[in-house]
């Protein structure tokens, strides 16, 4: 188990190094940040000075080495545009994204699972058919379109919910939350629905497919044959086995939610990390972009590693040490 | 019965108003956020414009873009290199401190500090000295006719407050400094900073003790940056905002068609133009040498362009076609120079043949696609029009940071540039940056390498000429030469587009700066 853990950690570190390198290389092609940072009528001397300050005059390898060694120490440098340490900016923006993703995840689970069960148990009912069609739309319509539609209906026409921002937030010191005010909660509704929609339809379809599969297996048939009530067979026996793969997928999709939040945050001017990233792209703010990419990949790597470890805990077959590994001196 | 109906209507109107704000709160939606509250730490024109609500300069632009007294009441030149400003008495900062000459001296020295990003906007200023409590001398390297124009952008901060918060020197953001002044403010302006959340909301409350007679009827200003065009428009239509700027041009008709909403459009100061590569060879061409160096070829290009088509089809009738490099509000504009070359593809072909390019030639054109109004569309239209007279255009449109990098490095044959002459609002801006031969402070934006000794001479003369009439005359003369020689190809002034609720009254100035201290919300 320990050997496995160490192997996984080394792999994770390698992945992070590769991501950081790719991020660095990519941003070499994004153009010149200086034009965006200086006024139009800046002189050549101003440009040279700025370039010197940002360390853009150094040879490529020096810049790369400095970047990697700083990143390894968790230092992403200064944001060109905001003039502040990138890590401060990310820490400041994290609560907004975390709350949005949390609500979206809960929404997609609490709606996706019951709907999936319903459509599996009543596969030919017209409600199920309707849900299936709607879920297809949910998967295929781009999220920014749904976002704009939600704004059009609930903000512009009905005036029920705000179209942008986080509403009022309460400052808890190191965390700002929108959960404690009415305006904050209202502001959460549309963006979290937009973000949840894709995940929700995914979970619904997954639950339905898995459940139909399980309902066809022998032990369910035997359970029915023994006269066990449908409710117990469906929810106690079938559902349990359905949810194992669903939970796995959901865990992996959490990373996707954080990544997808970029679009939601842009549409709703949600002051989170994804929005920070988009702003950074507009200003060629390389340090912020690099930090965001590294952070998001870190989240993916951590979730994946945890999922792998959980498999080991859950499934005894994987825990068997392979002979080659146990023989090592 | 009647009364209760009214009450009901009022209550439901309030319920509909999602923001829940009173009528005298002005909720402004902008496309980007402020860079911070420190007026000497950035040159971003929107930030500088908005900070004018909190901080004030010695001299300010009025609603017709002329200069008028602000914190200084009058001024005169004591010598060729010294300008004396007499300050307004009885002005207090938001924290209650009295405004005196000390504050002006500290602010000007802060703005021209070597670490200050705004020092470029104070060309030639050496320093400031207090003569007495309400008189300040500003010393310069030489005569500077544009000093007042420069000063409109230099805001006055409180010396005591700066000292107290260890901020007398400007913040050098790139060294990792984040000053107290980035998120706090103490000015003399009509509004006081109440709260600020970057990228989310900045709130100002009215300054009851403002020295000037308020024209506005506002009690509060909320600035809401909303990056996405669609969301910004939706927020206005849903009643969450009182005004948005910019308002997307392509949605203008739909927005204007909404009850209770109006669109305000006017040509702005920013002139959109094409630059020519005038070096010895083109980057992407099958012609020998550089055909663009031949004036007849540049004239042929100008004649191949239908300004009417650009104006009507691409800009939907909102732009102002331009024949000179500065907008009508800018000093140095002359209606005669502004005459536009006639659309005449036959004459263009004849000129090309005369220059030895009867079969045409190929060149590369580069444009940004996220910087100016319809920038990429304009270039597509241009390349189609030029193709008709035989010039084959290899068009590249890309993000602004790549575009300007390439244009500045001279890696293109024709490129797009927009120039608003801000902050100085004077033709000298064009002369010094775009027309003077590149050397030292001059020619920063002249990568095409246009060079004319007479233009150079006029530029350096305009820089120090204190006689306003002579200055304008020389500026016009230089711009006339540039026009005759087609140093650049001016296209149009792109439109400003704001949208607001009907109850909002605000002057729309060509410099695209909403001045909310001149705004009224009718109730």
């Amino acid at each position: 188990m320990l050997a496995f853990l160490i192997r996984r950690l080394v792999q994770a570190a390698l992945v992070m190094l590769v991501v950081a390198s790719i991020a660095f290389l990519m941003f070499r092609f994004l153009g010149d940040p200086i034009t965006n940072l200086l006024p139009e009528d800046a002189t050549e001397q101003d440009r040279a000075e700025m370039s010197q300050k940002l360390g853009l005059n150094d040879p490529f390898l020096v810049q790369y080495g400095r970047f990697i060694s700083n990143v390894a120490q968790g230092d992403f440098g200064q944001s060109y545009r905001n003039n502040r340490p990138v890590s401060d900016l990310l820490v400041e923006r994290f609560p907004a994204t975390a709350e949005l993703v949390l609500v979206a995840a809960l929404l997609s689970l609490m709606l996706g699972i019951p709907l999936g069960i319903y459509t599996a148990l009543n596969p030919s009912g017209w409600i199920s058919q309707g849900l299936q069609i709607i879920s297809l739309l949910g998967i295929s319509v781009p999220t920014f379109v749904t976002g704009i539609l939600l704004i059009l209906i609930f903000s512009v026409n009905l005036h029920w919910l705000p179209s942008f921002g986080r509403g009022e937030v309460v400052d808890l010191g190191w965390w700002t939350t929108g959960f404690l005010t009415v305006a904050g909660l209202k502001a959460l509704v549309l963006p979290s629905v937009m973000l949840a929609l894709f995940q929700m339809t995914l979970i619904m379809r997954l639950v339905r497919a898995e459940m139909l599969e399980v309902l066809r297996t022998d032990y369910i048939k035997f359970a029915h044959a023994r006269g066990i009530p449908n409710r117990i067979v469906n929810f106690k026996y079938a559902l349990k086995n359905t949810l194992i793969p669903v939970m796995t997928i959901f865990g992996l999709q959490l990373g996707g939610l954080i990544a997808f939040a970029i679009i939601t945050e842009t549409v709703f001017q949600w002051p989170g990390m994804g929005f920070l990233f988009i702003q950074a792209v507009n200003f060629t703010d390389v340090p912020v972009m690099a930090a965001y990419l590294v952070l998001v990949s870190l989240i993916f790597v951590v979730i994946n590693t945890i999922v792998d470890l959980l498999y080991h805990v859950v499934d005894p077959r994987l825990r068997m040490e392979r002979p080659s590994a146990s023989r090592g001196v | 019965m009647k009364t209760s109906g009214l009450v009901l209507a009022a209550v439901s109107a309030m319920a509909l108003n999602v923001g829940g704000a009173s009528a005298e709160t002005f909720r402004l939606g902008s496309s980007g956020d402020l860079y911070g509250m420190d007026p000497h730490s950035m040159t971003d024109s929107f930030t500088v414009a908005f900070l004018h609500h909190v901080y004030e300069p010695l001299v300010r632009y009025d609603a017709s873009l002329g200069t008028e007294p602000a914190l200084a009441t009058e001024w005169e030149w004591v010598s060729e290199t010294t300008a004396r400003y007499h300050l307004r008495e009885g002005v207090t900062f938001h924290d209650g401190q009295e405004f005196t000459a000390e504050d002006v001296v500290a602010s000007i020295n802060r703005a021209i500090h070597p670490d200050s990003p705004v020092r470029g906007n104070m060309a030639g200023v050496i320093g400031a000295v207090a003569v007495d409590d309400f008189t300040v001398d500003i010393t310069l390297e030489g005569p500077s006719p544009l000093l007042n124009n420069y000063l409109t952008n230099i805001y006055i901060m409180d010396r005591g407050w700066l000292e107290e918060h260890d901020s007398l020197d400007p913040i050098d953001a790139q060294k990792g400094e984040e000053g107290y002044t980035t998120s706090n403010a103490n000015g003399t302006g009509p509004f006081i900073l109440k709260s600020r959340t970057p990228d989310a909301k900045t709130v100002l409350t009215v300054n009851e003790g403002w020295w000037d007679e308020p024209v506005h009827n506002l009690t509060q200003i909320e600035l809401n940056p909303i990056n996405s065009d669609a969301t910004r428009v939706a927020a206005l239509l849903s009643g969450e905002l009182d005004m948005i700027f910019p308002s997307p041009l392509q949605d203008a008709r739909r927005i204007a068609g909404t009850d209770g909403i109006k669109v305000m459009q006017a040509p702005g100061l920013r002139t959109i133009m094409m630059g020519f590569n005038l070096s010895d060879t083109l980057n992407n061409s099958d012609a020998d040498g550089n055909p663009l160096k031949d004036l007849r070829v540049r004239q042929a290009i100008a004649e191949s362009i239908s300004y009417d088509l650009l104006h009507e089809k691409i800009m939907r009738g909102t732009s102002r076609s331009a024949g000179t490099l500065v907008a009508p509000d800018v000093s140095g504009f002359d209606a005669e120079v502004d005459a536009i070359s006639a659309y005449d593809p036959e004459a263009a072909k004849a000129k090309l043949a005369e220059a030895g390019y009867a079969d045409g030639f190929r060149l590369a054109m580069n444009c940004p696609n996220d910087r100016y109004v319809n920038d990429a569309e304009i270039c597509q239209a241009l390349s189609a029009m030029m193709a008709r007279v035989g010039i084959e255009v290899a068009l590249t449109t890309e993000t602004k940071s790549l575009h300007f990098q390439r244009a500045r490095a001279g890696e293109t044959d024709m490129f797009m540039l927009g120039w608003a002459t801000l902050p100085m609002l004077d033709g000298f801006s064009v002369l010094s940056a775009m027309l003077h031969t590149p050397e030292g402070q001059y020619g920063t934006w002249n990568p095409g390498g246009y060079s004319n000794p007479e233009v150079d001479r006029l530029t350096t003369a305009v820089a120090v000429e204190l006689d306003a009439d002579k200055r304008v005359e020389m500026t016009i003369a230089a711009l006339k030469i540039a026009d005759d020689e087609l140093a650049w190809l001016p296209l149009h002034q792109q439109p400003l587009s704001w949208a607001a609720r009907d109850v909002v009254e605000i002057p729309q100035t060509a410099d695209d700066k909403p001045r909310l201290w001149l705004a009224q919300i009718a109730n």
Side-chain angles (χ1 to χ4, degrees):
Chain A
M1 184 69 186
L2 188 67
F4 172 80
L5 189 65
I6 291 171
R7 211 163 48 232
R8 283 297 313 194
L9 287 179
V10 170
Q11 279 172 4
L14 271 177
V15 169
M16 293 311 298
L17 184 70
V18 170
V19 167
S21 306
I22 292 176
F24 180 79
L25 287 174
M26 255 176 13
F27 300 141
R28 295 298 101 186
F29 299 103
L30 271 177
D32 163 29
I34 293 178
T35 308
N36 289 327
L37 293 171
L38 286 175
E40 279 184 340
D41 49 0
T43 62
E44 285 304 326
Q45 195 194 346
D46 296 337
R47 291 175 174 277
E49 280 171 13
M50 178 66 91
S51 187
Q52 183 69 36
K53 264 187 200 168
L54 298 183
L56 298 177
N57 293 342
D58 297 333
F60 177 78
L61 278 178
V62 174
Q63 291 190 44
Y64 177 70
R66 189 169 51 215
F67 174 78
I68 294 290
S69 81
N70 284 346
V71 165
Q73 296 162 35
D75 174 13
F76 288 96
Q78 292 280 317
S79 155
Y80 294 166
R81 172 181 171 253
N82 294 281
N83 298 329
R84 301 183 48 203
V86 174
S87 35
D88 286 10
L89 286 173
L90 286 173
V91 167
E92 238 174 59
R93 302 306 177 89
F94 182 72
T97 300
E99 289 187 354
L100 178 64
V101 168
L102 179 72
V103 173
L106 287 177
L107 265 182
S108 55
L109 278 182
M110 288 182 330
L111 289 172
I113 294 177
L115 288 179
I117 296 171
Y118 179 84
T119 48
L121 294 181
N122 311 283
S124 49
W126 63 270
I127 296 181
S128 295
Q129 305 279 353
L131 282 171
Q132 281 287 94
I133 294 171
I134 293 172
S135 74
L136 258 184
L137 281 176
I139 281 190
S140 49
V141 174
T143 44
F144 70 90
V145 175
T146 24
I148 295 290
L149 276 177
L150 288 173
I151 290 179
L152 198 64
I153 297 169
F154 294 101
S155 300
V156 176
N157 288 334
L158 296 173
H159 295 271
W160 287 354
L161 297 164
S163 56
F164 70 93
R166 275 185 92 188
E168 270 171 60
V169 290
V170 177
D171 200 344
L172 304 177
W174 49 276
W175 189 274
T176 56
T177 180
F179 287 151
L180 298 177
T181 63
V182 177
L185 289 172
K186 272 174 134 184
L188 259 167
V189 178
L190 293 185
S192 54
V193 167
M194 168 182 164
L195 186 58
L197 213 58
F198 180 82
Q199 307 294 332
M200 191 190 86
T201 45
L202 186 79
I203 288 175
M204 178 191 130
R205 295 179 78 86
L206 193 70
V207 168
R208 175 177 173 276
E210 283 293 330
M211 188 114 176
L212 284 176
E213 190 82 9
V214 173
L215 287 178
R216 273 199 294 270
T217 53
D218 287 345
Y219 77 94
I220 298 293
K221 286 182 190 155
F222 283 126
H224 279 300
R226 282 173 60 197
I228 297 174
N230 275 345
R231 193 171 44 85
I232 294 182
V233 175
N234 289 340
F235 290 96
K236 203 166 174 197
Y237 300 156
L239 186 60
K240 240 186 198 169
N241 282 325
T242 302
L243 287 185
I244 292 169
V246 171
M247 285 331 239
T248 314
I249 296 285
F250 181 74
L252 295 176
Q253 287 289 327
L254 257 184
L257 273 180
I258 294 173
F260 266 123
I262 287 189
I263 301 165
T264 309
E265 289 180 5
T266 309
V267 169
F268 286 94
Q269 186 78 18
W270 191 262
M273 295 191 301
F275 187 67
L276 187 71
F277 177 76
I278 290 291
Q279 298 281 73
V281 171
N282 281 333
F283 283 88
T284 329
D285 196 343
V286 177
V288 172
M289 286 189 280
Y292 179 81
L293 278 200
V294 171
L295 188 71
V296 167
S297 3
L298 182 69
I299 292 172
F300 270 92
V301 167
V302 167
I303 292 176
N304 267 306
T305 310
I306 292 175
V307 168
D308 277 3
L309 290 176
L310 281 181
Y311 277 160
H312 268 254
V313 174
V314 172
D315 194 336
R317 286 169 298 178
L318 289 171
R319 242 175 299 164
M320 292 242 298
E321 299 278 335
R322 273 174 290 166
S324 60
S326 58
R327 215 186 296 133
V329 179
Chain B
M1 185 64 201
K2 227 172 189 175
T3 328
S4 67
L6 269 178
V7 170
L8 197 68
V11 168
S12 54
M14 276 170 72
L16 285 179
N17 191 344
V18 183
S22 73
E24 288 82 17
T25 292
F26 196 108
R27 297 158 305 163
L28 180 66
S30 61
S31 64
D33 194 21
L34 308 174
Y35 279 38
M37 296 304 295
D38 189 318
H40 303 149
S41 79
M42 88 297 284
T43 55
D44 170 62
S45 55
F46 168 62
T47 307
V48 174
F50 191 79
L51 288 186
H52 205 335
H53 295 97
V54 178
Y55 288 104
E56 289 176 300
L58 293 178
V59 184
R60 69 184 177 195
Y61 288 124
D62 59 21
S64 56
L65 298 187
T67 49
E68 68 175 12
L71 289 181
T73 49
E74 50 189 347
W75 44 83
E76 73 256 350
W77 286 92
V78 183
S79 75
E80 283 238 308
T81 53
T82 309
R84 177 163 294 171
Y85 286 81
H86 302 277
L87 307 182
R88 193 176 294 280
E89 298 186 29
V91 176
T92 52
F93 284 94
H94 295 158
D95 70 351
Q97 293 297 313
E98 198 194 1
F99 161 74
T100 65
E102 283 290 284
D103 303 314
V104 177
V105 171
S107 300
I108 288 186
N109 288 335
R110 190 172 191 265
I112 59 170
H113 188 280
D115 281 345
S116 159
V118 298
R119 74 182 190 285
N121 291 345
M122 293 278 280
V125 174
I126 295 172
V129 222
V131 177
D132 60 43
D133 271 2
F134 292 98
T135 313
V136 171
D137 278 355
I138 296 181
T139 51
L140 299 115
E141 285 166 6
S144 176
L146 288 175
L147 183 59
N148 273 346
N149 298 34
Y150 291 137
L151 286 176
T152 56
N153 258 331
I154 302 300
Y155 297 129
I156 304 303
M157 305 175 82
D158 180 16
R159 184 192 167 118
W161 184 76
L162 286 174
E163 267 172 359
E164 188 185 329
H165 298 289
D166 197 20
S167 305
L168 258 188
D169 287 342
I171 312 160
D172 188 355
Q174 297 311 328
K175 285 191 189 140
E177 294 172 22
E178 186 190 348
Y180 182 77
T181 49
T182 309
S183 37
N184 297 279
N186 178 31
T188 57
F191 293 90
I192 302 171
L193 177 67
K194 186 180 172 196
S195 69
R196 167 160 170 79
T197 317
D199 277 341
K201 188 175 272 191
T202 303
V203 183
L204 311 180
T205 55
V206 74
N207 173 11
E208 300 289 354
W210 192 34
W211 57 270
D212 201 357
E213 191 69 40
V215 178
H216 69 83
N217 66 344
L218 312 178
T219 53
Q220 189 158 303
I221 296 173
E222 281 177 28
L223 175 72
N224 302 281
I226 305 178
N227 211 237
S228 149
D229 278 349
T231 311
R232 195 162 63 252
V233 171
L236 175 70
L237 298 184
S238 69
E240 291 164 80
L241 296 176
D242 296 306
M243 177 175 142
I244 57 172
F245 94 108
S247 161
L249 212 54
Q250 66 273 15
D251 295 339
R253 207 165 290 166
R254 201 173 64 81
I255 299 172
T258 310
D259 278 346
I261 306 283
K262 62 181 173 186
V263 172
M264 295 180 269
Q265 281 181 344
L269 289 177
R270 189 172 294 280
T271 306
I272 304 298
M273 60 193 90
M274 300 302 293
F276 296 108
N277 179 349
L278 299 175
S279 64
D280 289 336
T281 49
L282 289 185
N283 292 292
N284 180 6
S285 179
D286 48 2
D288 291 334
N290 182 354
L292 292 179
K293 284 180 90 170
D294 191 323
L295 175 61
R296 290 168 298 187
V297 173
R298 301 203 294 277
Q299 282 168 343
I301 292 176
E303 283 169 352
S304 74
I305 289 163
S306 165
Y307 280 79
D308 290 344
L309 219 61
L310 285 183
H311 172 73
E312 279 156 27
K313 296 291 177 213
I314 309 286
M315 304 303 289
R316 295 163 208 238
T318 56
S319 62
R320 180 190 170 283
S321 295
T324 183
L325 298 176
V326 292
D329 303 79
V330 178
S331 161
F333 175 85
D334 183 77
E336 225 164 276
V337 183
D338 191 45
I340 292 157
S341 64
Y343 172 59
D344 192 344
E346 290 313 313
K349 275 185 198 161
K351 281 219 173 79
L352 279 179
E354 201 184 315
Y357 300 99
D359 298 331
F361 62 95
R362 195 171 69 222
L363 59 71
M365 182 188 282
N366 286 62
C367 285
N369 55 20
D370 55 0
R371 178 66 184 90
Y372 308 119
V373 178
N374 297 334
D375 38 16
E377 290 83 350
I378 295 169
C379 286
Q380 274 153 10
L382 289 183
S383 39
M385 292 171 186
M386 286 165 64
R388 253 178 249 161
V389 301
I391 302 175
E392 191 193 327
V393 175
L395 176 64
T396 309
T397 62
E398 58 199 342
T399 182
K400 52 185 187 265
S401 48
L402 285 170
H403 170 73
F404 291 117
Q405 184 180 26
R406 261 190 246 290
R408 289 182 49 80
E411 290 171 10
T412 174
D413 303 331
M414 278 181 79
F415 61 94
M416 180 180 266
L417 180 66
W419 202 258
T421 74
L422 292 174
M424 47 177 129
L425 251 177
D426 190 278
F428 176 68
S429 163
V430 172
L431 300 188
S432 59
M434 293 159 46
L435 292 176
H436 193 284
T437 311
E439 58 185 22
Q441 300 272 356
Y442 288 126
T444 321
W445 273 100
N446 182 8
Y450 172 76
S451 179
N452 179 313
E454 180 61 8
V455 171
D456 290 358
R457 189 189 69 76
L458 286 166
T459 302
T460 41
V462 167
V464 294
E465 180 57 64
L466 291 180
D467 182 324
D469 293 340
K470 268 194 200 163
R471 264 191 99 246
V472 173
E473 213 172 280
M474 288 194 288
T475 309
I476 292 174
L479 286 173
K480 172 98 172 65
I481 298 173
D483 185 53
D484 290 343
E485 296 196 330
L486 271 169
W488 293 75
L489 177 65
L491 296 175
H492 57 237
Q493 274 89 39
Q494 67 179 24
L496 312 176
S497 185
W498 303 357
R501 293 167 60 214
D502 278 342
V503 292
V504 170
E505 282 306 325
I506 182 169
Q508 187 178 29
T509 45
D511 59 1
D512 207 12
K513 295 179 177 175
R515 292 168 166 80
L516 298 194
W517 63 90
L518 301 175
Q520 291 266 347
I521 295 187
N523 210 351

